[in-house]
Every structure is written in C-alpha cells, then in structure tokens.
Amino acid sequence: MFWILTALLLIIPAIISYHVFYSSSYYIFLATEMLIIITAIYLFIFYRRIIKPLQIIGDGMELLKEQDFSSRLRRVGQAEADRIVDVFNKMMDQLKNERLRLREQNHFLDLLINASPMGVVILNLDEYIQSVNPATCKIFGLKPTENITGKKLTETGSLLAKEIASIKKYDSEIIRLGDASIYKCTHSSFIDRGFQHSFYLIESLTEEVFKAEKKAYEKVIRMIAHEVNNTTAGITSTLNTLQDTFKDIQNNGDIQEALRIAIERCYSMSRFITDFADVVRIPEPQPQKHDLNRLVSSCKLFMENVCRSRNIQIVMELSGSSPIVEVDSLLLEQVLVNIIKNSAESIGKDGKIFIRTANNPACLEIADTGKGIDKDTETKLFSPFFSTKPNGQGLGLMFIREVLLKHGYAFSLFTGADGLTYFQIRM
C-alpha cells in the first residue's frame, strides 16, 4: 500500500509537470518540479518515521509467533524505530532467560523425581497415568519392559495402585499389604498451564517400621525371658526338692501328682518364652546353591504324615527345570514347614495344598483350600505377635518374615479370587 501511494504521489506531479512544460511558463514548471522534490522528501520522512517502525513491529511479531527468542532486531538509525527495537530486544532477552530458567527447573525436577526413593505417580486431566518414576515401578512390582502410562491406577495389576486410587484428594493414608509392606501414600495436585493435575507420593515405611518393631520386641522379650527363666529355675528347683522329700511318705499320691504338674508347667513356661527368644536370635543366613525342587520335595515328605491324618492331599506342581537358588537350606526348610503347617491348620480336614515352583525368575508358591483371609486380617498378618488362632502366639509368621527378609526375598500372603490362599516367595 505504501509503495502504491508513493508511486501515485510521484507520477501525478510528473504528469502535471509534463503538461505545464508544454503549455505554461517556465516558472510554473519550476514550481511543479519543486513540488515533486518536496513530495519525495516528505515520503522519505514518512517512511522513516511511520512505515519502517511498523515493518519492524511486524518482523518482531513474526519472531514471537515462531517463539524464536534467540533472534534480535537490528537498529536502523532512527530514534523512534530504534526505541522500539531496544524495547523489543530487551523483551526477547527476558523471554529467553525465562525459558532457560524454566527448562533448567524442569530438568532439575525431572532428575529429582527420577532419583527419588519415593514413588511419584502423575495423572492427566482424565485421571489416566501420565508418568511414573523408577521408584514407583519398583514399588508396584513392574517388569522393566512394562509400561503403565495411559492406564487407570486400577488397571495396572498392582494391589498398591488399587489401594491408593481410593485415597481422597489432599489426604494421606498408611497402607499395609499382605506382603508385610507398609507405605505412606499422599494424594495431592498441582497446577500446570492453568489446569489441575492429580499426583500421588508413595513412601515406603517397611524397613523403618520393621527396625522399630524389632528393637521394641527384642527388648521386651529379653527382659521377660530373663525374669521368667530365673523365676522358673528357682521354683523348679524347690519343687524337685519337695518331690524328693515326699517320696518316702506313704499315701502321698495326690501331692506327688500336684508337684509333677507344677514342674511340667514351669518347664512349659520356660519353653514358651524360649520360643519367643528364638525369633530374636535367628542366625544370619549362610546361602549356598541348592536345587529348589529337591528342598521342596524333602519338606513335603516331612509334612506328609501330618497332612494325611487330616485327609489333606499335598499336590506337587514343580517346574520341569528346577530353579537353582542361593539359600540357607536349614532356614528355608523351617520356613516351608511353618507355611505348610499353617495351611493344614487353615484347612482343618479334607482339602488340598498345592506346592509350585517356577523358573526365570525363581519363585515358590504354596496354595491351600482353607477358609481364606479377609481384607482386614491380611494387613495385620506379619505384625509382631498377631495370630488368628485362638491359642496362637504369632511367632510362626514373625519367624517366616525375618528369615525371608534376611535372604532379601519378596513374599506375599493373600486369598485370591479363586478362593485359594497363596503364599508366594519370589527369589
């Protein structure tokens, strides 16, 4: 438009000058030529002051549109235009620095989230998983090649993911699972580009809680064992002396029987507290390579008579190629005996116990047709001294938990949708 106007302003006076030159005086011709020159000067000034700044602004808008914050406008030597150029270049510097700062912050946050021992799960606006960090994959028990992005929490196959999906926004809960794991889970949100995104923080408390529990019950058991053993030793000695004294007295059958029962009761109490102390004194494992199928088969033979008397069948479903595992065989055999014994007690009479092994990775599974475990009980199973049996001491699962943790094995105890109760050990 500017160049069309310029052409018109120059051509029209030229045409007028041409007609004047051939039809009028010399002075009128000069006046017309002066008008052309003045018009040209005016147009030059008009271009420098109005059109060029507008062109510069247009170029700047194109740079902003393309988000090219690294380019700058060149000064043109005209005060008003140069002022616009300086302001624009300063703005571009600020935008570039802000973009770099945000990129550095985002990169730092990405590194922090990926290196964090806490699990971080970020959801998109539709409540699908947008991203998870490596700690979350480990906590959820995902395989390295498994990708849960784009899924709902309830679709991941992780029991913990299903549990945290029910946490209300801005709430925190302590979640205990059937594998003795304990997590503190928080549901919150953040604003990104004006939209609110939900996220979850998952902090594992398992190790800290186990250490605190063990420290507490070790102290209590040592103190109780010391007092009980000292007391029962003195009482037993006195009762033995009385028993010897009454041997030579006739018609003392009732007294002898009472003394015998009292002595047996003292020994029972001593064995009772020794069982508690043995949980504290579990030796450190001495792992060696063993054939898992062979270990399982020997335990099956050992427990077969106990199960047969209850009409319980032990079904072996062992892997064709036996897993070779690094394990303390004596400790593992005690663990297996405890698990099979618990399964048999859960069944009572007439049922089946399935023992399965698998390879790559090595895994042992013991399932039974017992009465099962409800959700509330499942979260308390591996707590110290907790038992579902009327006269149970809660020592069996404590012993199992300590041995498997010392080996570094993952484990879980739960009742599946098929009604079977599973004890799984992942080696």
Side-chain angles (χ1 to χ4, degrees), residues 178-198:
D179 60 358
S181 301
I182 305 168
Y183 300 97
K184 180 182 179 182
C185 304
T186 303
H187 183 190
S188 191
S189 66
F190 66 97
I191 303 296
D192 180 29
R193 300 173 188 175
F195 295 98
Q196 197 173 58
H197 294 255
S198 290

Side-chain angles (χ1 to χ4, degrees), residues 57 74 107 117 137 159 161 164 172 208 235 251 269 285 306 372 395:
I57 293 172
R74 185 185 302 172
H107 181 62
C137 297
L159 182 59
I164 68 174
S172 293
E208 290 77 5
I235 293 173
N251 301 322
M269 187 178 295
V306 175
L395 296 179

Side-chain angles (χ1 to χ4, degrees), residues 240-301:
N240 283 326
T241 301
L242 287 173
Q243 197 175 41
D244 291 339
T245 302
F246 283 102
K247 275 183 180 179
D248 300 329
I249 300 176
Q250 294 181 350
N251 301 322
N252 62 352
D254 292 342
I255 296 175
Q256 287 283 1
E257 181 64 17
L259 289 173
R260 185 187 65 78
I261 292 172
I263 291 171
E264 286 184 358
R265 181 64 185 139
C266 287
Y267 282 129
S268 296
M269 187 178 295
S270 181
R271 286 193 298 271
F272 175 81
I273 196 63
T274 299
D275 288 341
F276 277 97
D278 286 342
V279 175
V280 178
R281 293 194 295 264
I282 295 174
E284 288 297 320
Q286 303 297 322
Q288 294 182 354
K289 288 185 177 181
H290 288 279
D291 185 310
L292 183 59
N293 286 359
R294 184 175 296 176
L295 287 176
V296 170
S297 298
S298 66
C299 289
K300 182 244 185 185
L301 291 173

Side-chain angles (χ1 to χ4, degrees), residues 71-87:
S71 299
R72 298 293 179 270
L73 298 180
R74 185 185 302 172
R75 293 169 65 91
V76 295
Q78 200 273 332
E80 288 77 5
D82 288 346
R83 188 158 55 246
I84 294 173
V85 168
D86 292 340
V87 170

Side-chain angles (χ1 to χ4, degrees), residues 285-321:
Q286 303 297 322
Q288 294 182 354
K289 288 185 177 181
H290 288 279
D291 185 310
L292 183 59
N293 286 359
R294 184 175 296 176
L295 287 176
V296 170
S297 298
S298 66
C299 289
K300 182 244 185 185
L301 291 173
F302 181 74
M303 294 299 295
E304 207 159 26
N305 287 333
V306 175
C307 293
R308 190 179 292 116
S309 64
R310 298 169 179 255
N311 195 28
I312 297 173
Q313 181 184 359
I314 299 179
V315 181
M316 305 290 281
E317 298 177 0
L318 306 183
S319 171
S321 57

Side-chain angles (χ1 to χ4, degrees), residues 44-89:
F44 177 75
I45 296 171
F46 180 78
Y47 172 77
R48 289 288 303 273
R49 289 184 176 273
I50 304 298
I51 302 303
K52 195 158 189 178
L54 290 175
Q55 287 181 337
I56 292 171
I57 293 172
D59 293 340
M61 292 303 102
E62 288 298 321
L63 293 176
L64 287 175
K65 184 179 178 180
E66 296 173 3
Q67 296 188 0
D68 183 7
F69 301 147
S70 60
S71 299
R72 298 293 179 270
L73 298 180
R74 185 185 302 172
R75 293 169 65 91
V76 295
Q78 200 273 332
E80 288 77 5
D82 288 346
R83 188 158 55 246
I84 294 173
V85 168
D86 292 340
V87 170
F88 180 85
N89 288 342

